[in-house]
């Protein structure tokens, strides 16, 4: 199935009007987020690969055109034009996994205005979801302070496609694995899982359930111990772990999925240690988010890994961004929007990043594309030309390493989960001058 109709109706009606009035000039559209959600000190850009593959393959199928004809909205000659339409433009973008801030372009599209306009909905759809989730997942990684994280969100993400993107974004920013088997196949992400309470309840006793499972999976057994009584479940798991040791195997760990995780993890750790199972790990899950994990880590909970599900998979505290895709230039003429609260900056742009003497990020300057800003590192690179992707796209492993390197250079004040500092982003003299020149005099 083609994706050309994955757009809003007004993109198509505007396109027909452009076409009827002979408007085929080059347009530049900029994708950015106006303001960061409360509690967010940064965003992690994601979704670029999906955008590029969409643009490279953009076309209207015969069935697409038949459907559009059936609506009675579009002229036959315009539909004939759409039959041969392909994306022929260019894209400048920050790399996936890059840290971005308010009003900074995540990507910019330059193409004939019809092509650039039609792509708006899909571009926002893909970059919005993945940036929201990558940012939320990065906060979880920071909260865990080196403890392993597993994506448990698939069953409560907003559809199968969203579940795949969530797993990809989580791995990109440092999660160790996902429970989503399809994501494991599609993206090469390690898969991990334990067992459900239903498995325990299907057996006459907790002991028999544990014994059956470890015989089936003697090398990867993590036992869920809170079905009935967590402390008693830990004692039974310890017994099973000792039985495994006698057979030459070892219990990988236990999972806590409810209750006071701080006190329970301490009790369970003591039980496992006294049974000679010091290597058995404790995995905690059950509606966790970065704030709860931060508290558990700060309080010294002996938890080795976290399974993070619903609240991360839907970014429960900040499920949307004020993301916009706005025209900033047409036929070489810079344009801007002056609506209250939704004003835009004119012209094709570049973001320059500055670092201090220790290599830490210190400030950004938002400038015009052809403006020189001495000492800054440009973040937007050309990744598509004449409708074709430039060079091989980075692998997920490469993106993961890039994010880890960049995140390590962000000062901790901006990583704070509750009241982060505001990262300094300045507008260049070139943009400020152009903005003043284009604004109508009072």
């Amino acid at each position: 199935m083609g994706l050309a109709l994955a757009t809003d109706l007004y993109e198509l009606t505007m396109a027909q009007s452009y076409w009827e009035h002979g408007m085929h000039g080059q347009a530049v559209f900029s994708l950015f987020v106006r303001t960061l959600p409360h509690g967010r000190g940064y965003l992690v850009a994601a979704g670029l690969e999906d955008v590029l593959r969409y643009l490279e393959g953009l076309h209207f199928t015969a069935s697409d055109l038949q459907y559009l004809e059936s609506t009675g909205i579009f002229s036959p000659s315009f539909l004939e034009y759409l039959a041969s339409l392909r994306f022929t433009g260019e894209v400048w973008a920050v790399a996936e996994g890059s840290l971005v801030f308010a009003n900074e372009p995540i990507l910019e599209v330059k193409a004939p205005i019809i092509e650039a306009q039609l792509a708006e909905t899909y571009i926002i759809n893909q970059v919005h979801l993945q940036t929201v989730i990558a940012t939320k997942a990065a906060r979880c990684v920071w909260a865990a302070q080196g403890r392993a994280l597993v994506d448990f969100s698939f069953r409560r993400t907003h559809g199968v496609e969203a579940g795949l993107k969530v797993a990809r974004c989580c791995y990109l920013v440092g999660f160790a694995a996902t429970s989503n088997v399809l994501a494991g196949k599609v993206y090469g992400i390690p898969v991990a899982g334990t067992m459900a309470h239903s498995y325990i309840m299907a057996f006459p006793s907790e002991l028999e359930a544990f014994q059956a499972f470890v015989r089936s999976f003697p090398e990867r057994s993590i036992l869920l111990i809170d079905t009935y009584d967590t402390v008693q479940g830990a004692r039974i798991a310890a017994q099973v772990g000792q039985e495994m040791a006698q057979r030459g195997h070892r219990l990988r760990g236990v999972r806590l999925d409810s209750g006071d995780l701080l006190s329970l993890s301490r009790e369970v750790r003591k039980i496992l240690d006294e049974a000679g199972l010091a290597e058995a790990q404790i995995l905690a899950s059950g509606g966790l988010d970065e704030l709860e994990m931060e508290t558990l880590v700060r309080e010294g909970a002996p938890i080795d890994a976290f399974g993070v599900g619903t609240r991360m998979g839907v970014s429960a505290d900040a499920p949307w961004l004020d993301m916009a895709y706005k025209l900033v230039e047409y036929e070489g003429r810079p344009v801007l929007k002056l609506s209250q609260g939704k004003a835009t900056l004119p012209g094709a742009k570049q973001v320059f990043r500055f670092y201090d003497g220790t290599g830490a990020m210190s400030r950004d300057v938002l400038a015009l594309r052809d403006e020189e800003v001495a000492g800054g590192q440009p973040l937007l690179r050309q990744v598509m030309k004449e409708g074709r992707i430039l060079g091989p796209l980075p692998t997920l492993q490469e993106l993961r390493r890039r994010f880890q390197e960049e995140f390590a250079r962000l000062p901790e004040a901006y990583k704070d989960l509750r009241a982060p500092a505001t990262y300094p982003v300045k507008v260049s003299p070139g943009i400020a001058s152009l903005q003043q020149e284009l604004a109508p005099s009072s």
Side-chain angles (χ1 to χ4, degrees):
M1 181 179 68
L3 291 171
L5 295 188
T7 190
D8 291 303
L9 177 62
Y10 79 167
E11 312 288 12
L12 285 160
T13 54
M14 285 188 289
Q16 176 167 312
S17 187
Y18 289 144
W19 179 78
E20 289 176 345
H21 292 86
M23 296 179 67
H24 299 284
Q26 293 287 313
V28 177
F29 282 81
S30 185
L31 180 76
F32 60 94
V33 176
R34 292 189 179 98
T35 58
L36 302 190
H38 177 72
R40 299 292 194 266
Y42 59 88
L43 297 175
V44 181
L48 177 62
E49 179 174 335
D50 289 300
V51 167
L52 296 178
R53 295 196 185 283
Y54 158 80
L55 291 173
E56 195 170 59
L58 181 61
H59 70 285
F60 288 84
T61 67
S63 63
D64 291 339
L65 297 171
Q66 289 170 2
Y67 169 73
L68 292 177
E69 182 181 21
S70 74
T71 67
I73 297 172
F74 304 99
S75 70
S77 53
F78 175 65
L79 295 179
E80 184 178 345
Y81 162 78
L82 289 183
S84 60
L85 183 139
R86 300 293 185 273
F87 184 78
T88 62
E90 63 186 53
V91 176
W92 290 68
V94 302
E96 286 196 80
S98 296
L99 300 177
V100 294
F101 305 93
N103 292 308
E104 295 185 340
I106 296 173
L107 64 82
E108 291 196 334
V109 173
K110 182 177 182 180
I113 192 167
I114 292 175
E115 299 171 23
Q117 189 77 69
L118 287 174
E120 174 181 9
T121 302
Y122 188 87
I123 289 174
I124 294 178
N125 177 274
Q126 291 298 309
V127 178
H128 179 270
L129 169 67
Q130 295 184 59
T131 299
V132 164
I133 298 301
T135 304
K136 180 71 170 180
R139 288 164 59 83
C140 292
V141 171
W142 174 247
Q145 291 295 297
R147 291 157 182 80
L149 295 179
V150 181
D151 160 38
F152 276 5
S153 68
F154 190 26
R155 64 187 59 192
R156 294 203 179 112
T157 56
H158 295 161
V160 171
E161 183 187 12
L164 288 171
K165 304 308 179 186
V166 167
R168 178 182 184 272
C169 291
C170 287
Y171 191 70
L172 190 158
V173 300
F175 273 51
T178 180
S179 67
N180 185 336
V181 180
L182 182 58
K185 176 186 176 183
V186 172
Y187 299 119
I189 301 171
V191 292
T194 59
M195 58 176 61
H197 295 102
S198 57
Y199 180 86
I200 309 297
M201 293 185 289
F203 287 82
S205 70
E206 201 167 28
L207 175 61
E208 290 169 279
F210 290 171
Q211 290 173 331
F213 194 82
V214 301
R215 289 190 180 278
S216 296
F217 300 100
E219 304 302 326
R220 52 179 303 118
S221 290
I222 298 178
L223 304 177
L224 179 61
I225 61 174
D226 74 326
T227 304
Y228 304 117
D229 178 276
T230 302
V231 174
Q232 180 61 17
R235 294 192 183 103
I236 296 171
Q239 175 187 333
V240 172
Q242 292 172 327
E243 294 170 358
M244 292 179 71
Q246 292 173 1
R247 298 194 296 270
H249 301 293
R250 71 178 182 88
L251 179 66
R252 289 277 302 279
V254 298
R255 176 160 71 100
L256 306 175
D257 194 51
S258 60
D260 182 341
L261 295 177
L262 178 59
S263 62
L264 286 172
S265 63
R266 288 170 173 166
E267 287 190 71
V268 170
R269 184 73 270 161
K270 181 179 180 182
I271 290 169
L272 294 174
D273 289 350
E274 289 176 349
L277 302 172
E279 292 185 357
Q281 295 193 334
I282 297 176
L283 169 69
S285 58
L288 293 172
D289 66 9
E290 67 270 37
L291 300 181
E292 291 176 272
M293 286 189 290
E294 181 188 49
T295 299
L296 288 167
V297 170
R298 185 179 63 248
E299 295 296 324
I303 294 171
D304 302 286
F306 294 98
V308 193
T310 303
R311 294 184 188 178
M312 185 276 300
V314 300
S315 189
D317 67 314
W320 63 276
L321 299 171
D322 189 7
M323 182 174 284
Y325 177 88
K326 295 300 180 184
L327 181 70
V328 295
E329 182 180 300
Y330 182 62
E331 291 190 322
R333 173 176 56 88
V335 298
L336 79 172
K337 179 180 175 182
L338 295 171
S339 306
Q340 186 174 358
K342 294 187 175 183
T344 60
L345 298 173
K349 298 176 188 67
Q350 180 58 272
V351 178
F352 292 91
R353 180 153 293 165
F354 290 80
Y355 300 87
D356 65 18
T358 68
M361 293 167 52
S362 61
R363 62 189 174 93
D364 287 359
V365 174
L366 183 54
L368 296 173
R369 180 78 55 79
D370 58 359
E371 195 173 0
E372 293 188 11
V373 179
Q377 177 181 316
L379 300 187
L380 279 82
R381 308 283 184 181
Q382 188 172 4
V383 291
M384 175 169 274
K385 182 179 181 181
E386 296 178 352
R388 293 291 175 263
I389 298 171
L390 294 175
L393 293 171
T395 66
L396 188 53
Q397 288 288 355
E398 289 169 338
L399 294 175
R400 180 180 169 95
R401 286 193 294 271
R402 176 182 291 160
F403 167 77
Q404 290 170 342
E405 291 169 1
E406 181 157 345
F407 195 65
R409 302 178 77 176
L410 180 69
E412 291 189 9
Y414 308 112
K415 298 175 181 176
D416 189 275
L417 300 177
R418 291 172 170 80
T422 300
Y423 185 82
V425 178
K426 304 296 183 183
V427 172
S428 72
I431 288 183
S433 176
L434 185 58
Q435 190 176 26
Q436 186 174 9
E437 177 186 331
L438 295 175
S441 56
S442 56

